[in-house]
Amino acid sequence: MELRHLRYFAAVADTCHFGQAAESLHVAQPALSYAIRQLEAELDVTLFTRTTRQVSLTPAGQYLRAQAERILAGVDEAVDGVRRIAAGRSGLVRVGITGIAAFSHLPRIARVVKRELPDVDLRIQSDMLTPGQCDALRAGTLDLGILRPPAIGEHIDTTVIDVEPMVLAVSVDHRLAAEPVVSVADLRHEPFVLYDSRDSAVNDAAIRTCRAAGFVPHRAHQAPGTAVLLALVAAGLGVALLPASVRSLPLDGLVVRDLVDADTVEVALAWRSGSDDPVVTAVADVIAAAFADSAFARSAAAESRDTQLADHRSVRTRLGARSGEKP
């Protein structure tokens, strides 16, 4: 039985009129009649009762009509699914995401993919450090990564989707908690809480920020993850420099303050070099576009921080002059 025969049969069954069915199928009526006779001969049944005045379905024809509708619907669904997958509109995409980004970036990613690619399923693996994501991408157990560059190892491509300023996290009773403007230099003698991973991009940015201010941070405590790190800070055991997305994790006893002269840390979208899966490409494009509109806001924020830094330095200079100190 050919699929064409089922479609021809369904058209005649719907109209009970060979002429109308032939017109809807854009075939000649004699060809349609011949195809139906072929189908009846193959099945060795009569599907239609034909008279000079009307065409009607036999009981066997009624049964085949119900089955044909189910079969043809399944075929159409399969064809549509194949085309969606080939066009990058359907499928499963496994995404790894690092630390705080699971709280600050994942909601936007999930919303935009659901809106733009409703037939794509995302499988999220959270709290993955950059090295682990790169290994998983190379091994093929992840399709995309949301990580903090640089990528570790070869055969990983990345594109930066966000740039976050570093901010200061202190306990609510810390001496700097009430300060509207904080400079990194104010942290010179503070104990710091850092991540215990040697490959932490956040640690690198924090240390780089302190060195630019003329000191090396004193590592008082190390934490295996963000939750523990913030708990240690809230307990008053040290301060921390973290990406601004830490504001997505409110915690009792914790205060987050902007720094006027801190470094920045990037968030990047990563994938295995040479990957040509259309669904993965479509999701990557949607994610990149979702964060592209943040570029102007980041630029404006950077200009604002530069202005705050100039004002802060001016205030410190005036205070130093009043007290007889050299600026």
Side-chain angles (χ1 to χ4, degrees):
M1 181 188 302
E2 297 182 23
L3 189 61
R4 171 176 61 92
H5 287 158
L6 272 185
R7 294 196 185 279
Y8 284 4
F9 165 77
V12 178
D14 286 342
T15 60
C16 285
H17 194 288
F18 278 81
Q20 293 177 9
E23 184 177 351
S24 68
L25 292 167
H26 304 291
V27 299
Q29 183 173 332
L32 175 60
S33 298
Y34 179 71
I36 296 299
R37 288 197 300 272
Q38 281 185 312
L39 179 59
E40 289 178 320
E42 181 178 351
L43 296 175
D44 195 22
V45 299
T46 299
L47 298 172
F48 295 99
T49 300
R50 305 167 177 84
T51 69
T52 57
R53 304 187 62 177
Q54 70 175 30
V55 175
S56 60
L57 287 164
T58 66
Q62 292 173 355
Y63 176 80
L64 182 59
R65 179 185 184 183
Q67 297 303 311
E69 289 178 351
R70 178 183 61 81
I71 293 169
L72 292 173
V75 169
D76 291 342
E77 183 179 349
V79 170
D80 184 56
V82 168
R83 288 173 176 167
R84 286 199 309 271
I85 291 173
R89 309 296 299 180
S90 179
L92 172 67
V93 177
R94 300 157 301 174
V95 182
I97 192 161
T98 184
I100 301 172
F103 300 91
S104 57
H105 293 73
L106 178 56
R108 184 192 293 192
I109 290 170
R111 282 195 302 269
V112 72
V113 171
K114 183 178 181 179
R115 184 183 72 235
E116 301 295 333
L117 301 168
D119 293 321
V120 170
D121 292 326
L122 293 182
R123 181 176 296 167
I124 305 299
Q125 297 184 43
S126 61
D127 207 18
M128 294 185 69
L129 295 178
T130 293
Q133 289 194 47
C134 292
D135 289 342
L137 289 169
R138 278 188 290 269
T141 57
L142 278 185
D143 301 307
L144 293 173
I146 308 296
L147 49 75
R148 298 196 186 277
I152 307 299
E154 300 179 338
H155 309 302
I156 301 296
D157 293 334
T158 64
T159 182
V160 174
I161 60 172
D162 202 5
V163 180
E164 299 183 77
M166 299 292 281
V167 296
L168 172 66
V170 298
S171 61
V172 69
D173 56 355
H174 191 276
R175 64 181 181 87
L176 295 174
E179 292 291 330
V181 178
V182 180
S183 174
V184 178
D186 297 329
L187 309 175
R188 180 181 300 273
H189 302 296
E190 294 290 335
F192 276 74
V193 182
L194 298 170
Y195 291 103
D196 63 6
S197 171
R198 294 183 303 171
D199 298 313
S200 170
V202 174
N203 276 5
D204 291 344
I207 294 170
R208 193 166 57 242
T209 294
C210 293
R211 285 178 173 169
F215 68 96
V216 175
H218 168 55
R219 188 188 297 251
H221 294 277
Q222 297 185 128
T226 302
V228 174
L229 186 149
L230 294 180
L232 292 173
V233 173
L237 299 179
V239 303
L241 297 184
L242 297 166
S245 51
V246 71
R247 297 185 191 278
S248 303
L249 293 166
L251 180 68
D252 287 344
L254 189 76
V255 174
V256 177
R257 289 287 177 260
D258 287 332
L259 290 165
V260 294
D261 51 350
D263 206 336
T264 58
V265 63
E266 296 174 334
V267 179
L269 179 64
W271 61 95
R272 184 173 62 257
S273 300
S275 174
D276 59 357
D277 187 324
V279 180
V280 174
T281 299
V283 171
D285 289 344
V286 165
I287 292 174
F291 288 91
D293 59 0
S294 300
F296 178 79
R298 291 195 301 268
S299 176
E303 292 180 4
S304 175
R305 287 193 300 274
D306 290 343
T307 300
Q308 286 182 316
L309 176 59
D311 292 343
H312 181 66
R313 286 173 174 166
S314 176
V315 169
R316 291 174 70 93
T317 298
R318 290 197 302 271
L319 290 175
R322 291 176 184 175
S323 62
E325 298 176 357
K326 293 182 179 180

